[in-house]
């Protein structure tokens, strides 16, 4: 319906069209069989032609609250995208703004599968049970499914449909073809029967997303993760940015019911974090208690090395991987410029130390300090490096208890100094992984002293170890000895000597 007025919808006209079509169908029952054949491969047409939805906010405009589910172009595109994911047996991630009707779209697609596809099972999961099913609660997904099916013309309902009998708690059944829609919540997501397609609602807010992913990997070939952003670094963020998982973006600008006036009202009424999360789809700005906020990190990432002169001693930070999926990271920082980072895995202590020596030799400008995280296996790397570099190597025990009354431990103080360095106008590479790491951690206070979220607690939220950020933070652990002697480096380096031989300078 290209000419439909989405701002001031005329649903009475849509009702009249549907009534006229129903009368024709009932006058000529043979039409029904042809329509069922047609709709069996065209869910978007079926939903838009016969589906109904519920919006209590329409009452304030003097409109019906139960209205035809007329799909606008992006909604139709989404339904077709879901069909493609199912047919291709592949996962998808849906990054959405608020109030785009995605929940109703998922529900309508599930109803289409249950009615038209024999022997299928559609699964729904969310972090709380009442989000999935709560009798009488219009916010729950299964309330929407029941209403959607109940409001269909009888020609499109399952034969013998009885909602009291066929739609109990957390399960809806098509008695005609043996298809089901089932629901799960919390840690039970993925623990039920195998499914044809599984919708994970508000996937970025699951308490244990990795557990749900592991369970779902065994129960469905097609998992659709739907959510507004909830910070960077969690499994939903990684799926949305891994370049492999098919991604669908529902931006508020795709909704013909919304315009700049609508957005301005949201901006005035919503908390900035809620606006970033629910409307702007911002990952780095969507966590209320992120210790380093996305705006300051993005500002530093927009400032290229050419915008600042790198002055002072070069400091190297070495964060050594301690767990299987963690990475070792080397950081080289000079003054207000993060010069470069090297990230790798799969090396033992001796090889990490060897790689560190190579990178020190390759660094333009002499390295004045090598700060190594010596909790765990990092101490072995520091010992090996100390044989060649002596006092240049400093051991950093980030768990060291501070006595300054402000920071609970050394890690908190390093991260505070790093944050202030970024806010003061530093330059960092425009690297999405670094930006993610810097904005991923939350914080709190213990005894009135700043305490950063531990890596273990972050992992419980599905946040991978912020190796790049921790490596950079190490360069703020201790001052470089004889800092006053450092100026812009003027001595030749092996790389400059090679350049001299070519250029003649």
């Amino acid at each position: 319906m290209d000419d439909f007025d989405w701002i001031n919808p005329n649903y009475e006209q849509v009702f009249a069209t549907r009534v006229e079509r129903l009368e024709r169908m009932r006058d000529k029952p043979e039409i029904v069989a042809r329509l069922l054949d047609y709709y069996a491969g065209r869910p978007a047409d079926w939903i838009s032609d016969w589906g109904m939805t519920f919006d209590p906010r329409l009452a304030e405009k003097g409109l019906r609250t139960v209205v035809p589910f007329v799909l606008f172009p992006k909604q139709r595109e989404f339904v077709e995208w879901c069909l493609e994911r199912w047919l291709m047996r592949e996962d998808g991630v849906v990054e959405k703004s608020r109030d785009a009707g995605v929940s109703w779209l998922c529900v309508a697609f599930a109803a289409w599968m249950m009615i038209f596809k024999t022997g299928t099972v559609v699964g729904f999961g969310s972090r709380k049970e009442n989000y999935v099913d709560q009798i009488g609660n219009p916010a729950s997904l299964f309330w929407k499914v029941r209403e959607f099916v109940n409001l269909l013309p009888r020609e499109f309902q399952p034969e013998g449909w009885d909602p009291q009998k066929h739609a109990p708690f957390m399960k809806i059944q098509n008695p005609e073809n043996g298809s089901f829609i089932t629901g799960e919540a919390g840690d039970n997501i993925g623990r039920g029967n195998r499914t044809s397609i599984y919708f994970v609602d508000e996937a970025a807010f699951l308490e244990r997303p990795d557990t749900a992913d592991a369970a779902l990997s065994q129960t469905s070939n097609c998992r659709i993760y739907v959510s507004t952003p909830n910070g960077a670094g969690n499994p939903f963020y990684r799926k949305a940015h891994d370049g492999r998982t098919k991604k669908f973006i529902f931006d508020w600008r795709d909704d013909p019911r919304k315009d700049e006036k609508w957005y301005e009202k949201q901006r005035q009424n919503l908390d900035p974090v809620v606006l970033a999360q629910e409307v702007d789809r911002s990952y780095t700005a969507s966590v209320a208690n992120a210790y380093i906020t996305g705006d300051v990190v993005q500002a530093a990432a927009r400032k290229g090395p050419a915008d600042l002169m790198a002055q002072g001693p070069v400091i190297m930070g070495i964060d050594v991987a301690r767990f299987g999926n963690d990475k070792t990271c080397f950081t080289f920082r000079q003054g207000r410029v993060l010069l470069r980072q090297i990230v790798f895995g799969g090396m033992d202590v001796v090889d990490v130390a060897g790689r560190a020596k190579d990178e020190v030799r390759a660094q333009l400008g002499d390295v004045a300090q090598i700060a190594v995280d010596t909790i765990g296996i990092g101490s072995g790397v520091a010992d090996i490096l100390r044989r060649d570099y002596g006092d240049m190597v400093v051991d950093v025990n980030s768990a060291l208890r501070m006595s300054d009354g402000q920071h609970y431990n050394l890690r908190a103080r390093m991260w505070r100094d790093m944050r202030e360095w970024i806010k003061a106008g530093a330059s960092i590479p425009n690297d999405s992984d670094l930006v993610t790491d810097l904005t991923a951690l939350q914080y709190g206070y213990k005894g009135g002293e700043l305490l950063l979220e531990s890596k273990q607690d972050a992992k419980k939220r599905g946040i991978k170890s912020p190796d790049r950020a921790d490596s950079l933070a190490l360069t703020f652990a201790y001052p470089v000895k004889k800092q006053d002697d450092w100026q812009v480096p003027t001595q030749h380096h092996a790389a400059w000597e090679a350049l001299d031989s070519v250029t003649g300078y």
Side-chain angles (χ1 to χ4, degrees):
M1 302 187 67
D2 295 334
D3 59 345
F4 194 75
D5 186 348
W6 300 100
I7 303 297
N8 299 294
N10 184 356
Y11 288 116
E12 299 307 317
Q13 181 182 359
V14 180
F15 276 121
T17 300
R18 290 189 177 187
V19 168
E20 187 270 332
R21 288 175 178 172
L22 270 176
E23 289 175 348
R24 285 166 52 201
M25 286 167 51
R26 288 169 181 172
D27 284 343
K28 298 181 178 180
E30 66 272 14
I31 294 177
V32 176
R34 294 205 301 270
L35 281 174
L36 290 173
D37 237 16
Y38 176 85
Y39 289 133
R42 297 172 176 83
D45 285 351
W46 179 71
I47 294 166
S48 204
D49 287 350
W50 302 108
M52 301 287 286
T53 187
F54 169 72
D55 188 348
R57 295 168 300 180
L58 293 174
E60 65 198 49
K61 296 181 180 180
L63 300 173
R64 302 173 189 247
T65 56
V66 177
V67 295
F69 198 175
V70 182
L71 303 184
F72 56 77
K74 195 69 174 181
Q75 290 179 325
R76 177 176 289 272
E77 183 184 338
F78 173 74
V79 172
E80 293 167 352
W81 180 85
C82 287
L83 176 61
E84 183 179 11
R85 299 286 74 72
W86 174 57
L87 293 174
M88 296 296 291
R89 296 159 59 94
E90 60 188 12
D91 294 343
V93 60
V94 183
E95 180 187 290
K96 70 183 182 74
S97 293
R98 68 168 7 179
D99 192 31
V102 176
S103 294
W104 274 100
L105 288 170
C106 295
V107 158
F109 184 84
W112 170 82
M113 280 198 69
M114 180 187 72
I115 290 169
F116 287 95
K117 301 300 176 183
T118 299
T120 57
V121 179
V122 179
F124 280 97
S126 193
R127 71 184 191 275
K128 291 186 178 180
E129 185 176 272
N130 62 322
Y131 292 175
V132 183
D133 196 3
Q134 187 176 44
I135 303 299
N137 180 6
S140 71
L141 293 167
F142 273 53
W143 184 92
K144 293 179 172 70
V145 179
R146 294 184 187 97
E147 286 299 294
F148 188 90
V149 178
N150 287 339
L151 292 169
L152 287 170
R154 65 175 182 270
E155 287 81 0
F156 299 112
Q157 289 179 341
E159 185 72 29
W161 170 254
D162 179 353
Q164 298 299 318
K165 181 179 179 182
H166 300 125
F169 183 69
M170 287 285 199
K171 185 170 73 172
I172 298 175
Q173 178 184 4
N174 182 340
E176 186 179 5
N177 67 5
S179 292
F180 287 87
I181 301 173
T182 63
E184 298 169 322
D187 288 344
N188 290 321
I189 289 178
R191 302 295 180 190
N193 295 325
R194 294 175 183 268
T195 59
S196 308
I197 185 172
Y198 199 105
F199 291 96
V200 184
D201 179 59
E202 293 299 342
F205 297 84
L206 295 178
E207 291 184 6
R208 280 170 281 275
D210 288 321
T211 301
D213 282 352
L216 286 170
S217 68
Q218 306 301 313
T219 60
S220 183
N221 291 320
C222 177
R223 294 154 290 185
I224 306 296
Y225 297 87
V226 183
S227 192
T228 53
N230 182 33
N234 55 52
F236 181 79
Y237 171 91
R238 295 199 293 272
K239 292 182 185 73
H241 294 82
D242 64 12
R244 300 185 304 274
T245 308
K246 294 296 190 296
K247 181 177 176 180
F248 193 95
I249 295 176
F250 241 125
D251 188 75
W252 67 267
R253 296 171 185 84
D254 297 321
D255 189 337
R257 300 167 298 181
K258 300 179 175 70
D259 53 20
E260 293 296 334
K261 183 178 179 181
W262 174 90
Y263 179 80
E264 182 59 26
K265 183 177 180 181
Q266 306 304 306
R267 193 183 65 80
Q268 292 176 1
N269 294 339
L270 297 176
D271 176 88
V273 170
V274 175
L275 181 73
Q277 174 179 292
E278 300 286 334
V279 179
D280 292 331
R281 300 182 294 103
S282 171
Y283 288 88
T284 57
S286 61
V287 178
N289 60 333
Y291 185 64
I292 304 180
T293 57
D295 55 343
V296 298
V297 175
Q298 294 288 357
R302 288 193 295 269
K303 192 173 296 183
D307 297 326
L308 290 174
M309 181 177 290
Q311 298 186 10
V314 176
I315 305 172
M316 180 183 187
I318 300 179
D319 182 58
V320 185
R322 293 188 291 276
F323 305 104
N325 293 327
D326 293 347
K327 301 293 184 182
T328 292
C329 182
F330 300 161
T331 295
F332 289 90
R333 178 178 69 86
Q334 185 176 18
R336 291 191 295 162
V337 179
L338 196 170
L339 301 171
R340 62 191 179 106
Q341 289 192 312
I342 303 98
V343 182
F344 58 93
M347 285 190 179
D348 61 21
V349 169
V350 175
D351 288 341
V352 169
R355 177 73 183 272
K357 293 177 186 178
D358 287 343
E359 297 298 340
V360 169
R361 285 191 289 267
Q363 178 60 39
L364 291 177
D366 291 338
V367 175
Q369 183 188 88
I370 303 172
V372 185
D373 180 2
T374 53
I375 294 180
I377 63 174
S379 58
V381 175
D383 289 341
I384 295 172
L385 291 176
R386 197 171 285 110
R387 298 171 192 167
D388 291 329
Y389 300 108
D391 290 345
M392 281 175 53
V393 179
V394 295
D395 295 353
V396 181
N397 177 0
S398 57
L400 182 68
R401 188 76 169 86
M402 301 296 288
S403 57
D404 59 6
Q406 298 181 57
H407 310 97
Y408 187 78
N409 54 25
L410 178 57
R411 184 169 183 248
R413 204 264 296 154
M414 292 190 303
W415 271 71
R416 185 191 292 273
D417 288 350
M418 179 171 66
R419 184 184 69 171
E420 296 309 309
W421 174 79
I422 294 172
K423 290 169 66 176
S427 168
I428 66 173
N430 191 10
D431 180 297
S432 61
D433 289 329
L434 174 60
V435 171
T436 296
D437 283 3
L438 287 168
T439 58
L441 292 189
Q442 299 177 349
Y443 72 104
Y445 291 89
K446 188 170 183 178
E449 298 175 329
L450 176 67
L451 180 64
L452 266 293
E453 181 181 30
S454 70
K455 291 185 179 183
Q456 290 74 21
D457 287 342
K459 285 193 174 186
K460 291 177 184 176
R461 294 194 292 118
I463 305 296
K464 68 178 183 64
S465 178
D467 306 310
R468 290 167 177 80
D470 277 334
S471 176
L472 174 59
L474 289 168
T475 67
F476 296 92
Y478 298 109
V480 176
K481 293 182 179 179
K482 301 182 180 178
Q483 260 190 4
D484 294 339
D485 296 339
W486 281 90
Q487 298 175 354
V488 180
T490 57
Q491 67 269 36
H492 278 207
H493 182 276
W496 288 111
E497 291 172 1
L499 184 62
D500 290 348
S501 67
V502 176
T503 62
Y505 289 106

